[in-house]
Amino acid sequence: MSRRTVRGVYRVPVTSQRQPADHGTPAIRRARTGDVRGIRALVAPLAERRVLVSKDAVAYFESLQEFRVAELDGRIVGCGALHVMWEDLAEIRTLAVAADQVGTGLGGRLLEELVQDARDIGVQRLFCLTFETGFFTRHGFEAIEGQAVPTDVYAELLRSYDEGVAEFLDLERVKPNTLGNTRMLRTL
């Protein structure tokens, strides 16, 4: 397995096997069921501050295949999810790093892993709802207003029960959006 760079960002090779951390650098890998408790612990203080949406444990288990985690010394220190919304569109969700990892580049590494996952499955556009507009702008996202999908796709997405999709569609039932954050889009 080779190491690659994506626009100058170091990509840790990822397999279904656990990757050892290198000299205090968190290893990024696909999430496993045993990681849910660590993901929830990481997200809890951010949800209390209304930076991220609080979710029940079952929601994490149901979407576990969407997650990547960063692990350091057996502790989950970062996470993020790629949620496919449509043929060419996915959302970056629950991107978070532990307080002691802020500013280390871990958030960017996690995001670029999710971007590569999106490319690997054929997604061409990534959406996020965020307060961290500077971070996402540095990674190629732009703030959007209005609809980012054609009318026929909008009509199909209305059938989703997912609250994230409702926020993406800017539906009145989630207005103002749950957290009051910015809608952003990146084209791959």
Side-chain angles (χ1 to χ4, degrees), residues 26-176:
I28 298 176
R29 60 171 172 76
R30 293 215 173 269
R32 298 187 295 266
T33 56
D35 298 326
V36 169
R37 186 170 281 133
I39 293 169
R40 292 189 75 211
L42 184 65
V43 169
L46 298 169
E48 286 174 16
R49 292 187 359 236
R50 295 186 45 81
V51 173
L52 291 177
V53 175
S54 180
K55 298 177 187 171
D56 293 324
V58 68
Y60 288 106
F61 283 111
E62 289 175 341
S63 62
L64 191 65
Q65 69 282 355
E66 300 176 356
F67 274 85
R68 295 254 180 200
V69 295
E71 181 180 22
L72 181 63
D73 299 328
R75 179 174 70 110
I76 300 300
V77 295
C79 66
L82 178 72
H83 179 77
V84 176
M85 298 170 73
W86 197 251
E87 178 180 17
D88 68 336
L89 181 68
E91 181 182 3
I92 299 293
R93 290 185 173 179
T94 321
L95 185 61
V97 297
D100 64 338
Q101 295 295 312
V102 172
T104 66
L106 180 57
R109 286 179 54 215
L110 277 162
L111 178 57
E112 290 305 321
E113 288 287 336
L114 297 170
V115 168
Q116 188 58 47
D117 289 346
R119 284 185 174 114
D120 290 348
I121 62 172
V123 169
Q124 298 166 353
R125 297 180 305 147
L126 293 173
F127 167 75
C128 70
L129 286 165
T130 186
F131 291 110
E132 300 295 334
T133 56
F135 170 82
F136 282 96
T137 298
R138 287 190 303 276
H139 289 277
F141 285 77
E142 296 178 356
I144 62 168
E145 293 197 25
Q147 285 307 318
V149 293
T151 305
D152 59 329
V153 173
Y154 181 91
E156 288 291 330
L157 289 174
L158 282 174
R159 297 178 183 178
S160 174
Y161 293 104
D162 186 275
E163 286 300 305
V165 172
E167 285 187 310
F168 170 75
L169 296 176
D170 208 19
L171 299 181
E172 286 298 318
R173 67 183 167 95
V174 293
K175 288 299 278 168

